[in-house]
Amino acid sequence: MKLRTTKYIFKEGLINAYRNKLMSLASVSVVTASMIVLGLFLIISINLKYNIQKLEQQPQMQVYCDPELDDQQIRTIEQTIKSDARVKKYTYVSKKEAFEKMKEMLGEDQDVLEGLGDDFMPVSFIIELNNLKEAKDVVESFKLIEGVSSVRYSQERIDILIKIATWVQVGNIVLTIILLAVAMFIISNTIKLTVFARRKEINIMKYIGATDWFIRWPFIVEGVVIGLMGAAIGFLAVSIIYALFSSKISEGINIISLVSLRELQFVVIYTFALVGIGIGSLGSAVSIRKYLHV
């Protein structure tokens, strides 16, 4: 009878240990998935803000003339821009300067321009305004000038990027809350199983005078460790994904500038560490408060 009881206790201990390991693995996996989603949205948000700042530093407006215009017609357009009281200052960009800039933007693909001259390039004027509130009116009035083919206003792109950044942040918050709630639920259940498996030890500790916090701390630490492990694996995964795709995106799309991985690392590590510690300790605390009657 005694031998059977010992075997039963030993078997129950093995089952509980195996179950706890599986739950811990599931907890780390869910935390890792949450961190990857959080990290990707965080990186997208940082890059959007970076590009918005770059756009804000660029000239506010650029007026492009028809490439077929002669020098006299160009001077007429220039005089119209110069005499507009809303214009703070302007810069003349010749066909040659525009052609060189295009070659620079094309980089290794500038061979497509081989044999071509700068005749097809438009003369343009880079304009800064006295008051940004008048920008839309200035754009409309400059579009009506004879010989002007188009007017590009960087604020329009800034507004679009700001809208995209806002939606990205909203999506990030919603998805992160859902995933972190799932992670906390699984961590909470992991700690619950651990508490249940050690219930006899806890009763003995209480019997000999151990305080509630003395008993609680190991479980909270276990939750924090799970959170940090998931954060560490998530950080490695996000770093690899960003390193693989950032170079390809930069090469394929010249109009977008990406922040280097080195500049992102501190923000991502700091965020992941805080979130990992937070969901680990909170998940453990909730579980202990609900299931650990000490």
Side-chain angles (χ1 to χ4, degrees), residues 147-257:
V148 171
S149 61
S150 63
V151 181
R152 290 186 182 176
Y153 177 42
S154 61
Q155 187 61 39
E156 292 176 353
R157 285 186 288 168
I158 291 172
D159 292 340
I160 291 170
L161 284 176
I162 288 172
K163 287 180 181 178
I164 294 171
T166 302
W167 281 109
V168 166
Q169 288 173 352
V170 171
N172 184 22
I173 291 169
V174 172
L175 281 174
T176 301
I177 289 173
I178 293 171
L179 288 170
L180 293 183
V182 172
M184 280 183 57
F185 175 76
I186 293 180
I187 290 173
S188 177
N189 279 294
T190 302
I191 302 302
K192 174 188 172 183
L193 286 174
T194 305
V195 171
F196 183 77
R198 298 176 185 171
R199 62 191 183 281
K200 294 179 182 178
E201 299 172 25
I202 293 168
N203 287 333
I204 294 170
M205 291 171 69
K206 281 294 293 180
Y207 184 74
I208 62 175
T211 62
D212 291 352
W213 272 109
F214 183 82
I215 297 171
R216 285 187 175 99
W217 269 114
F219 300 108
I220 292 176
V221 170
E222 183 177 345
V224 169
V225 169
I226 290 171
L228 287 176
M229 284 177 65
I233 299 170
F235 172 74
L236 288 174
V238 168
S239 298
I240 292 169
I241 293 169
Y242 189 72
L244 287 173
F245 287 96
S246 60
S247 57
K248 293 181 180 180
I249 292 171
S250 298
E251 289 173 6
I253 309 174
N254 293 322
I255 60 172
I256 295 177
S257 300

Side-chain angles (χ1 to χ4, degrees), residues 81-96:
I81 292 171
K82 185 178 180 179
S83 60
D84 196 311
R86 297 169 296 185
V87 175
K88 183 178 180 181
K89 65 177 183 179
Y90 71 91
T91 304
Y92 176 86
V93 181
S94 66
K95 289 176 177 283
K96 184 177 180 181

